Amino acid sequence: MPGTMAPTAGTPQHEAKTTRIHFAWSISFLASLLIAAGILWHLHDQFWWPPDDGVYAYVADQINQGALLHRDIQSLHFGLVNFINAASLRAFGNDLVSLRYPLLIATILQAALVASLFLRANPLSAIAVAVALSLLTFIQFANPGASWYALFFACVLVFSLQRFRSDTAPSLIWIGLLIGAIFCLRQLSGAIAGIGAVSYLYWRNHPIEHGARETWTRTIVAKVVSASFLLIVAVYLVFYTGSWFLFFFGVAPMALLIVLAYSTRLNNPDALRLAGLPFIGFLLPVFPLLIYHALHGSVSNWLNDAVVAAMGMTELPFLETRLYADMLIYAGMKLTTLDPVATLNSLFWISLLLAPIILGISVLLQAATKHREIAALAWFPTFFALASGHYEIPIYLFYTSALTLAGLAWQSLSFGSRGTMAVSLFLIILTVTGTIFHAAQPLSRGISGSIKGNTVSERVPCDLSRCSLDVEPDVAMVYQELIEFIDAQSGPEDLVLAIPFNPELNYLSKRRSPVRFYNSALGLRTNEQVAEALDQISRSSTQLIIHNPTDKYNSPALNPLLRHTRDHYIHIATVGPFHVYKARQHKAQ
């Protein structure tokens, strides 16, 4: 009404209005999480990648049947994800879908934790970050992979770094425990998380000051640790990633470490405490695994699998694929198309690919100012994005991009209300685009199909006793026929070897493998390992050998085993890409 005045600050009317606004935003925030949870539930069983789902399920199932991890069955991870998955099968039933339930909860929790950091500063940003960390993560490649659990603990870590600023012994040990948990899930992510977290503790606890400087001998620990971090990051970037990734993802973290190593005035006792106490925490999740393997005499196998074989995986030829630069170029070309869907999705991929360098430049500019107050939510994701360089395909980009976007949202809080609103709305648009066009979409679309936003809507029940998932019809048909064939040609106690990498066949058919490895490219790295595998196959009277000759994991080391198969087995069927061989002494009638 004309002449009506707005409530004056401090009056009961103003406080009541403020309370109503805060309540409305709180309800909106909770509603966004509930909507995200509903979308996650709707899509969580609409996708699979058979070998990945299969390996996690098969290893977990074997653990539940009494097999000893790393002694009886190989795993490239330190073991935490395998025990989580084994517990999931026990709790929710022996089915592929059961492995996804803990990640549904973890995904909503990680979104709520990180987004809650924004609630007081800007509720719209909190909503944008909540939906991004819910829907641009697990559901984009819905399987029980170690990287999704690593992202969850990374979110808890960045929340802890930002919320707990006292740096007491318990808080530092807690930080180290989270780093250790990430490492025990995925070694590369854990190493990068440790570098990001400890370097942030160094930066936060002794800002670069103007004026008198500490002598280099009194700051040598911080300088050496920072320089060591720089060397590790540089070696990783130079030898295990491409030049494009090094520039767009790696320059900012290396620059921050250079500035830290050169300028730090953190004295030696504080530097030792800020690195030493987290290291104690780091050992807490590692120690139970060490005890487990020490008691079962499998320490050497554990280290060989999780260190030697895991490093050997980086030497596989297909991991040299560097698609991020190609994706950026292809998406840029599609911007000129008249197809609005292709244009929208091109902008989506360009945004994800450029987000790390934009965040990194923002953090570097802060580091160059006198005040240089940098939030953990900006510093840590700048480093954590490096975990996406292991294999430059869209899946690995999703493992870190949502946390990077959360860092950008935090940086936007200094842009003013309009800038913050623009960034928040942009994040929401990205999330909606990712959910509609990419969530739970099959990998059969290919890279070009993903960039253009092609979607596949037809799915049917897998219709197998351990597979309560909906998958593409042709894929379901192949696996139904193949499992029926395995059941017809072998008994429940017979052994089945699936090579080079199809442990889902062992899990779905409920047949054990005669060898401890589930991926021949990783299990057959030496002549001794090849000889041992041939001996185990011969002595165990393996009934069926199933080979997929189109699989990217076929390697020269598999040739002796294939020769053995041709000499002692007969080819009885071809189902989809799979060639099925049966032992000659059990020749089919």
Side-chain angles (χ1 to χ4, degrees):
M1 292 177 62
T4 302
M5 297 180 62
T8 305
T11 64
Q13 294 88 346
H14 182 269
E15 291 180 359
K17 181 180 180 181
T18 302
T19 300
R20 288 194 299 271
I21 292 174
H22 287 168
F23 179 75
W25 277 117
S26 298
I27 293 298
S28 300
F29 176 69
L30 292 175
S32 68
L33 286 173
L34 288 174
I35 292 171
I39 295 172
L40 284 169
W41 180 257
H42 174 66
L43 294 175
H44 80 281
D45 59 354
Q46 302 294 301
F47 169 90
W48 76 335
W49 182 236
D52 278 9
D53 280 278
V55 68
Y56 288 112
Y58 178 63
V59 173
D61 182 51
Q62 290 300 299
I63 291 173
N64 286 339
Q65 292 187 40
L68 296 176
L69 185 64
H70 293 293
R71 193 190 74 177
D72 302 326
I73 188 165
Q74 188 180 43
S75 175
L76 297 187
H77 301 292
F78 255 57
L80 183 55
V81 67
N82 304 116
F83 291 113
I84 292 174
N85 286 333
S88 298
L89 291 184
R90 286 185 177 274
F92 303 112
N94 202 350
D95 193 292
L96 290 176
V97 75
S98 299
L99 301 181
R100 301 170 184 224
Y101 296 144
L103 279 169
L104 290 175
I105 299 171
T107 300
I108 291 298
L109 283 178
Q110 74 190 21
L113 273 178
V114 176
S116 68
L117 297 171
F118 292 81
L119 274 175
R120 289 186 180 181
N122 190 283
L124 181 59
S125 295
I127 292 172
V129 169
V131 296
L133 276 167
S134 298
L135 301 177
L136 291 182
T137 52
F138 163 67
I139 206 63
Q140 298 295 329
F141 185 64
N143 79 346
S147 293
W148 293 132
Y149 283 108
L151 175 62
F152 167 71
F153 282 103
C155 289
V156 178
L157 175 57
V158 75
F159 173 85
S160 301
L161 285 169
Q162 186 138 330
R163 183 56 62 88
F164 308 136
R165 299 183 59 85
S166 61
D167 291 329
T168 61
S171 66
L172 291 174
I173 291 174
W174 168 250
I175 294 299
L177 186 149
L178 293 172
I179 296 170
I182 298 171
F183 185 85
C184 289
L185 288 162
R186 183 176 185 246
Q187 297 92 305
L188 175 61
S189 297
I192 291 171
I195 290 173
V198 174
S199 63
Y200 177 72
L201 289 173
Y202 276 14
W203 184 271
R204 181 175 75 183
N205 276 271
H206 208 296
I208 301 171
E209 299 174 2
H210 299 279
R213 299 180 59 85
E214 295 280 1
T215 61
W216 71 270
T217 55
R218 296 182 62 183
T219 61
I220 189 64
V221 172
K223 291 182 180 296
V224 168
V225 171
S226 301
S228 299
F229 287 167
L230 175 62
L231 178 62
I232 293 170
V233 171
V235 168
Y236 165 66
L237 290 169
V238 171
F239 292 101
Y240 297 100
T241 70
S243 57
W244 190 93
F245 184 89
L246 188 155
F247 179 77
F248 282 89
F249 285 68
V251 166
M254 287 196 295
L256 288 172
L257 291 172
I258 290 171
V259 173
L260 181 63
Y262 176 76
S263 305
T264 183
R265 300 180 69 232
L266 189 66
N267 62 54
N268 292 336
D270 286 342
L272 287 170
R273 181 176 65 87
L274 292 172
L277 289 176
F279 181 72
I280 293 173
F282 172 88
L283 295 176
L284 294 179
V286 177
F287 190 68
L289 296 174
L290 177 61
I291 295 298
Y292 170 88
H293 290 294
L295 291 175
H296 295 112
S298 54
V299 172
S300 60
N301 282 348
W302 177 41
L303 296 178
N304 185 65
D305 288 347
V307 179
V308 180
M311 289 296 294
M313 184 174 184
T314 64
E315 300 172 1
L316 296 177
F318 68 85
L319 285 177
E320 296 180 2
T321 302
R322 311 296 183 200
L323 291 182
Y324 291 164
D326 293 339
M327 289 170 61
L328 186 64
I329 294 170
Y330 188 73
M333 294 170 59
K334 288 297 175 182
L335 288 178
T336 60
T337 183
L338 297 179
D339 183 354
V341 170
T343 300
L344 177 64
N345 282 278
S346 294
L347 286 171
F348 172 82
W349 290 109
I350 290 171
S351 300
L352 295 190
L353 288 165
L354 295 184
I357 192 169
I358 295 173
L359 177 61
I361 291 173
S362 173
V363 175
L364 279 170
L365 290 175
Q366 274 187 287
T369 65
K370 292 182 180 179
H371 301 292
R372 35 171 318 285
E373 179 65 27
I374 301 175
L377 192 48
W379 180 286
F380 183 82
T382 302
F383 284 84
F384 195 66
L386 295 173
S388 290
H390 170 63
Y391 188 14
E392 292 185 24
I393 57 176
I395 296 164
Y396 281 82
L397 185 62
F398 280 120
Y399 288 148
T400 65
S401 57
L403 194 56
T404 301
L405 294 175
L408 285 172
W410 186 268
Q411 295 297 80
S412 76
L413 296 178
S414 63
F415 295 170
S417 59
R418 290 185 179 180
T420 300
M421 179 179 293
V423 172
S424 298
L425 292 177
F426 185 66
L427 259 63
I428 292 173
I429 292 172
L430 286 179
T431 303
V432 172
T433 302
T435 304
I436 293 174
F437 295 101
H438 304 290
Q441 287 296 311
L443 300 187
S444 58
R445 295 189 303 169
I447 296 297
S448 63
S450 297
I451 293 176
K452 290 185 291 186
N454 296 346
T455 57
V456 177
S457 58
E458 186 179 7
R459 296 177 181 83
V460 299
C462 187
D463 200 24
L464 294 170
S465 65
R466 287 183 170 186
C467 181
S468 300
L469 302 173
D470 290 349
V471 302
E472 294 172 278
D474 55 337
V475 175
M477 186 180 300
V478 167
Y479 277 90
Q480 289 165 7
E481 182 179 348
L482 191 54
I483 298 304
E484 289 177 4
F485 200 88
I486 293 173
D487 287 339
Q489 297 293 329
S490 64
E493 301 302 319
D494 285 332
L495 303 181
V496 173
L497 176 66
I499 51 177
F501 180 42
N502 290 101
E504 75 276 10
L505 297 178
N506 295 102
Y507 177 75
L508 294 174
S509 67
K510 305 175 186 177
R511 266 91 168 159
R512 289 191 306 108
S513 170
V515 295
R516 64 184 291 269
F517 60 83
Y518 49 78
N519 186 329
S520 60
L522 304 174
L524 301 177
R525 292 175 291 106
T526 66
N527 292 333
E528 291 76 13
Q529 290 172 332
V530 172
E532 181 182 7
L534 288 172
D535 180 63
Q536 290 172 330
I537 293 168
S538 300
R539 286 190 295 105
S540 63
S541 300
T542 300
Q543 179 77 335
L544 297 176
I545 295 179
I546 302 173
H547 177 227
N548 180 359
T550 67
D551 196 291
K552 62 187 177 184
Y553 284 98
N554 281 287
S555 65
L558 190 60
N559 290 336
L561 200 152
L562 294 176
R563 285 195 296 269
H564 176 86
T565 300
R566 290 190 293 269
D567 292 342
H568 298 88
Y569 290 74
I570 58 172
H571 180 269
I572 58 174
T574 298
V575 182
F578 300 101
H579 293 192
V580 184
Y581 299 86
K582 187 171 183 179
R584 290 186 182 278
Q585 62 268 33
H586 298 288
K587 183 174 180 180
Q589 299 297 319

